[in-house]
DNA sequence: TCAGCAAAATCTGAATGCAAAATTGTTGCC
DNA sequence: GGCAACAATTTTGCATTCAGATTTTGCTGA
């Protein structure tokens, strides 16, 4: 959501294909909650919003359907996939399976430069929490975990991880994160960094999985209070 | 074309959308090797092949691009994603992460009926090997592992697993599987079934991961002899 | 023979048009 | 007042069309 794609006026940007702009733009709208969970999304609405014709827009909707962010029903248009606690649990579980793998392999495949970079990210994250900057915190947090995933040097895994992250992020935007949980989470990050620096495979895997589960539990609890 | 939407040749009912027919159809063409690795695929060719216009076809290509089976370059058309040993290793690694999770949770979530069904699948698989029916064997083998994945009751994971399977299957169609490896593989399946019947979580996980790694090694070895 | 360049043909990206399906609004009846 | 049937509007699925980019072809001259 870094740039408002509302104008067709950004035509000079001919580098990225319109199709990609739309996929990213609509994804952001969904993740940020600008399009509400379960809401019906007429093509014409998005066409006006982005100032494009239906052809590239429909291509984008098909892609987002594969990503699971919208659901398409024949002749009945698109709806934003509802955020369902059961499905979110599935997402966290699946992400957990990847976290385990990341833990087992990140330590051995990371260079010292990698570790320094992630250490810096972690420090930024602590700073964002201190300054009570939730937007920056959330972004840095996503980045921190994504960088850990990248340590596997496995693009296939990273791509899947990113898609799962997007779905989690969507749920995160729907709830008010508990500040106490944020501090707890930072403590878990500390433990993760300790294991990573020591290149302790099993420890790292265990802590990543535990962190994922804690986060899952906290989010599902909050989602229960403020569902759909 | 003169093809009216209602009678798209191989669409008996009007239930499945043309778009889905195309995605499935082109995916099959790629997986089975009918479209060769790295081959350039002009839209017009596929339009003639399926008797449709470019609009739904392009939608299908965008979807397959997200699945990673084709690569789209702006203004330069689609190419079938080359089968690369490094990428295949990544795919197996990622699948391995899921296998571990499947092992940990399949046993506890499976009903007795599930076990009976998978037992039957396993028996069929043994039969297919005995009768030296490689086509049927391959299909049953995919099914066997997919059913194990389904035991997690996690649709998110199953969807990702299926996509990974498709990519593995594509590589499998490019090589001649070693009969000795097939027998070895069946032995590993036996061990998997034993652990599953005993509902031994850790055992099952370990054996699924090991089976995945053995299969990976065997395929990568064969792929080295006859590369993309 | 071959490198370099220009014109033609081909291909892709995106907009528009049209028919079928679904949604909405209205009427008539109980 | 409520509800079923029907007509009008909207929306979707797909084909067709247009414009721009790319690749191929064909020519020229060294």
């Amino acid at each position: 959501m870094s740039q408002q794609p509302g104008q067709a006026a950004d035509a000079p940007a001919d580098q990225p294909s319109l199709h990609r702009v739309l996929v990213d733009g609509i994804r952001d709208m969904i993740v940020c909650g600008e399009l509400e969970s379960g809401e019906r999304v007429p093509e014409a609405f998005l066409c006006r919003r982005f100032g494009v014709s239906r052809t590239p827009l429909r291509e984008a909707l098909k892609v987002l359907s594969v990503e699971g962010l919208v659901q398409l029903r024949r002749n009945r248009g698109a709806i934003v996939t509802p955020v369902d606690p059961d499905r979110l649990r599935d997402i966290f579980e699946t992400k957990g399976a990847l976290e385990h793998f990341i833990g087992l392999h990140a330590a051995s495949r990371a260079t010292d430069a990698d570790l320094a970079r992630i250490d810096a990210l972690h420090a930024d994250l602590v700073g964002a929490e201190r300054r009570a900057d939730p937007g920056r915190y959330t972004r840095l947090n996503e980045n921190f975990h994504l960088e850990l995933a990248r340590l596997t040097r496995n693009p296939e895994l990273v791509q899947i991880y990113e898609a799962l992250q997007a779905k989690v992020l969507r749920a995160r935007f729907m709830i008010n994160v508990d500040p106490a949980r944020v501090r707890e989470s930072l403590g878990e990050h500390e433990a993760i960094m300790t294991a990573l620096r020591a290149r302790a495979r099993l420890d790292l895997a265990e802590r990543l999985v535990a962190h994922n589960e804690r986060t899952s539990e906290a989010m599902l609890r909050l989602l229960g209070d403020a569902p759909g």
Side-chain angles (χ1 to χ4, degrees), chain A residues 26-46:
Chain A
I26 301 173
R27 188 194 294 113
D28 281 349
M29 288 175 75
I30 294 173
V31 168
C32 298
E34 188 175 342
L35 294 175
E36 274 185 37
S37 185
E39 182 181 347
R40 197 150 168 286
V41 193
E43 295 172 3
F45 167 72
L46 291 173

Side-chain angles (χ1 to χ4, degrees), chain A residues 93-137:
Chain A
E93 269 191 11
T94 307
K95 192 159 83 69
L98 301 186
E99 300 282 7
H100 181 76
F101 180 88
I102 292 167
L104 290 182
H105 295 88
S108 62
R109 296 182 190 181
T111 66
D112 289 342
D114 288 329
L115 294 192
R117 190 164 32 83
I118 290 175
D119 230 336
L121 256 176
H122 173 61
D124 282 354
L125 201 57
V126 173
E129 192 273 334
R130 288 240 176 78
R131 277 172 285 133
D133 186 344
R136 182 171 168 78
Y137 178 88

Side-chain angles (χ1 to χ4, degrees), chain A residues 145-157:
Chain A
H145 287 290
L146 185 57
E147 284 298 315
L148 286 175
R150 289 209 176 108
L151 292 183
T152 61
R153 315 275 189 233
N154 184 329
E156 186 77 32
L157 182 143

